[in-house]
Amino acid sequence: MTETNETPHPADALGGRLSLPQYPRSSRYDARWTIENQMGPHALWLLEWLAPALRLEGLSPDARVLDLGCGRAMTSVFLAREYGVQVTAADLWVKPDENAVRLAEAGVAGQVLPVHAEAHDLPFGEGSFDAIVSVDAYQYFGTDDLYLPSLTRLLRPGGRIGVVVPALREEIDGAEPPEHLKPFWEPAYWCFHSAGWWRRHWTRSGAVEVETADWLTDGWREWLLWCEVVAGHSTDQWHVEMAGRCAEMLRADQGRTLGFARVVGRRV
């Protein structure tokens, strides 16, 4: 992985296109590395947006963080390098030995432990972590009314959980998506909810005190930019096709419906 301490030079057209002023830390990472290891929206941008609400800067170097649904461990690398914490990189679909190679190449093998785990069967003891992070994954399992209490038992008392998920600006009434989204809509998208829905969902659980539940202003534009870049530069044809279709959907929507929400709660 290539990383510098400065924003990519303007001559690097790809790096420059992905260097957004609101994400200075993410801009230090090689654009091609992020493209080839992505599994959806730009995970580093989303994690950098989450970080202040989750108070990652305040964690000590020996703090233990669970990166739940880490994918190809880009977010785990980011957590270790940017915040100096000890990370458990848990994912169901990417094998630990595959992530171990990436972690070693990034120079964080001593800080990040890759594990194979399913979200409903996590092999950790109560109070194992100071914080839990999940970027573009929690929506697939966290809508279950009973899930959050089972997950937050892994936090020490007062520890925080923070997630960023694809979201709806407002909840959709009825059983059909908006007309302009029907050509793109898949049944799995019904796991997308508004920030207000997530606040209510977490509050009702009794497991956390919700500290943040908000919407990423212009998140759809950032998502569209990323999809366009992936569609134009990924070496994986499946990712090219998926990103192209996602870009088409976001252009049709123009931010009326889709974007991102972040939610942060403190274990009570």
Side-chain angles (χ1 to χ4, degrees):
M1 183 187 70
T2 301
E3 181 187 8
T4 67
N5 293 320
E6 299 177 354
T7 300
H9 191 276
D12 180 354
L14 182 57
R17 191 177 181 193
L18 293 177
S19 294
L20 304 185
Q22 60 269 40
Y23 305 122
R25 292 177 184 263
S26 300
S27 296
R28 296 198 293 259
Y29 289 76
D30 181 68
R32 289 167 183 82
W33 180 79
T34 62
I35 290 169
E36 295 310 318
N37 289 294
Q38 60 84 31
M39 295 180 69
H42 197 308
L44 300 191
W45 289 349
L46 297 179
L47 179 52
E48 191 165 355
W49 178 51
L50 175 64
L54 192 54
R55 307 186 191 184
L56 289 179
E57 288 280 10
L59 293 177
S60 63
D62 61 348
R64 297 162 299 171
V65 178
L66 172 61
D67 186 1
L68 183 58
C70 68
R72 294 192 174 110
M74 284 202 301
T75 47
S76 301
V77 170
F78 194 86
L79 286 164
R81 298 188 74 162
E82 301 300 322
Y83 304 102
V85 294
Q86 305 297 310
V87 184
T88 298
D91 199 78
L92 176 64
W93 304 113
V94 181
K95 296 178 180 179
D97 56 349
E98 295 175 6
N99 274 337
V101 173
R102 274 183 285 274
L103 296 169
E105 291 174 345
V108 296
Q111 282 178 262
V112 184
L113 174 66
V115 300
H116 178 265
E118 201 278 326
H120 295 87
D121 187 24
L122 297 172
F124 313 115
E126 185 164 347
S128 295
F129 299 101
D130 298 284
I132 297 174
V133 170
S134 185
V135 175
D136 186 32
Y138 193 82
Q139 70 274 14
Y140 295 122
F141 43 81
T143 57
D144 182 341
D145 289 338
L146 303 179
Y147 184 72
L148 187 63
S150 69
L151 177 61
T152 53
R153 70 174 181 82
L154 304 181
L155 283 172
R156 63 169 176 78
R160 289 180 171 84
I161 175 173
V163 308
V164 179
V165 291
L168 304 176
R169 184 179 291 274
E170 302 290 344
E171 289 297 300
I172 295 173
D173 293 329
E176 296 291 330
E179 195 66 32
H180 68 280
L181 289 179
K182 284 185 177 180
F184 312 99
W185 198 263
E186 298 179 10
Y189 293 170
W190 290 114
C191 71
F192 297 172
H193 291 285
S194 67
W197 185 95
W198 283 108
R199 177 183 290 277
R200 183 173 59 252
H201 183 60
W202 280 24
T203 298
R204 285 175 172 175
S205 76
V208 298
E209 175 188 348
V210 178
E211 296 180 329
T212 302
D214 58 2
W215 173 262
L216 178 58
T217 303
D218 285 337
W220 74 274
R221 296 182 189 277
E222 296 170 10
W223 195 356
L224 175 58
L225 168 61
W226 176 243
C227 287
E228 290 173 342
V229 168
V230 171
H233 296 276
S234 176
T235 58
D236 185 312
Q237 186 58 35
W238 185 82
H239 281 141
V240 168
E241 294 173 1
M242 292 297 292
R245 181 168 175 79
C246 183
E248 189 178 356
M249 177 178 68
L250 292 168
R251 290 190 201 100
D253 186 54
Q254 291 290 303
R256 286 177 284 175
T257 309
L258 299 170
F260 296 101
R262 68 178 170 185
V263 193
V264 174
R266 183 179 62 84
R267 181 183 174 181
V268 296

